[in-house]
């Protein structure tokens, strides 16, 4: 494939195309079946800065929409590569965030994996920022997936400020009338052993 055997520009374009395709469950499964996980992990590890960012984005999308790809990412050494990217000084903010989102989703479905403080903090930092390119939404969804999973560690969430952030998000979304998201925040808080956020009622 061009993502593996092309020149640098072709690899970049192919990784970008895979990022776009991987927002769909069926596409993600097809990419994995064609050996795409290994190719993307290779680019995320050894590619140019832009190739790393696009590969991390593609892996993040795959992991989010297709749980069947998780085992393949882990077996191909993806956890170590994504962990390195999330902390790489020279990586772009989007690259670090995509890697962190991927790792948080993996942790939510794989009890043997733990999301470290760096990943949680990266995602939590997006909650105070305006929506841009879907990153805030994706961060929220990944955080809620982890908080309601058996892998969630309440002590860690308190330590990194995650509980307070979820409480604030629950209030914000309730006031905006986004009831389903407010309910998901409440479910996450209960899963972490915290009381539901009290709703303001109309006078």
């Amino acid at each position: 494939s061009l993502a593996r055997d092309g020149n640098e520009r072709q690899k970049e374009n192919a990784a970008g195309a895979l990022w776009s395709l991987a927002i769909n469950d069926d596409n993600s499964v097809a990419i994995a079946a064609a050996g795409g996980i290994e190719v993307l992990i290779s680019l995320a590890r050894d590619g140019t800065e832009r190739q790393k960012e696009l590969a991390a984005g593609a892996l993040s999308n795959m992991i989010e929409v297709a749980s069947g790809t998780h085992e393949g990412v882990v077996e191909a050494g993806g956890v170590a590569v994504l962990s390195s990217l999330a902390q790489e000084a020279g990586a772009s903010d989007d690259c670090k965030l995509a890697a962190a989102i991927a790792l948080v989703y993996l942790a939510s479905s794989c009890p043997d994996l733990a999301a470290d403080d760096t990943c949680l903090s990266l995602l939590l930092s997006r909650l105070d920022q305006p929506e841009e390119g879907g990153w805030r939404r994706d961060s929220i969804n990944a955080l809620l997936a982890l908080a309601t999973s058996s892998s969630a560690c309440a002590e860690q969430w308190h330590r990194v400020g995650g509980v307070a952030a979820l409480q604030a998000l629950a209030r914000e979304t309730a006031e905006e009338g986004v009831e389903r998201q407010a309910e998901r925040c409440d479910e996450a808080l209960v899963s972490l052993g915290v009381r539901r956020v009290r709703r303001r009622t109309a006078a």
Side-chain angles (χ1 to χ4, degrees):
S1 70
L2 290 177
R4 181 183 59 239
D5 303 319
N7 59 37
E8 298 303 330
R9 175 56 64 87
Q10 289 171 328
K11 289 179 180 179
E12 180 179 313
N13 290 341
L18 291 173
W19 186 353
S20 298
L21 289 169
I23 61 172
N24 175 278
D25 185 355
D26 290 339
N27 288 345
S28 290
V29 171
I31 291 168
I37 288 175
E38 292 79 4
V39 173
L40 288 168
I41 288 173
S42 178
L43 283 176
R45 182 184 59 240
D46 303 320
T48 64
E49 181 178 338
R50 181 60 174 160
Q51 288 168 3
K52 288 181 178 181
E53 180 179 319
L54 294 169
L59 287 167
S60 179
N61 279 352
M62 291 178 70
I63 291 166
E64 177 181 357
V65 304
S67 59
T69 64
H70 293 191
E71 184 177 350
V73 172
V74 173
E75 290 180 349
V79 173
V81 173
L82 290 166
S83 296
S84 177
L85 273 184
Q87 302 179 61
E88 188 173 306
S92 68
D93 289 344
D94 285 354
C95 183
K96 292 178 182 178
L97 191 58
I101 288 172
L103 288 166
V104 167
Y105 271 116
L106 284 175
S108 72
S109 67
C110 304
D112 294 337
L113 295 177
D116 62 23
D117 288 4
T118 297
C119 290
L120 279 182
S121 296
L122 279 170
L123 270 61
L124 289 166
S125 70
R126 295 299 304 192
L127 303 192
D128 295 326
Q129 300 179 35
E131 185 59 87
E132 181 181 344
W135 287 118
R136 185 174 188 269
R137 177 201 63 222
D138 291 346
S139 296
I140 289 171
N141 287 336
L143 287 167
L144 293 177
L146 178 61
T148 53
S149 74
S150 60
S151 304
C153 172
E155 188 277 331
Q156 179 188 33
W157 279 77
H158 280 283
R159 183 174 66 246
V160 299
V163 169
L166 286 179
Q167 290 171 325
L169 182 63
R171 294 189 187 95
E172 173 193 322
T173 51
E175 290 170 3
E176 292 175 350
V178 189
E179 283 301 322
R180 179 54 191 143
Q181 183 132 297
E183 290 171 3
R184 291 180 67 204
C185 290
D186 278 343
E187 291 166 6
L189 289 166
V190 170
S191 180
L192 294 169
V194 181
R195 289 183 179 179
R196 292 174 179 267
V197 172
R198 289 187 176 182
R199 300 276 189 267
R200 291 181 180 177
T201 57

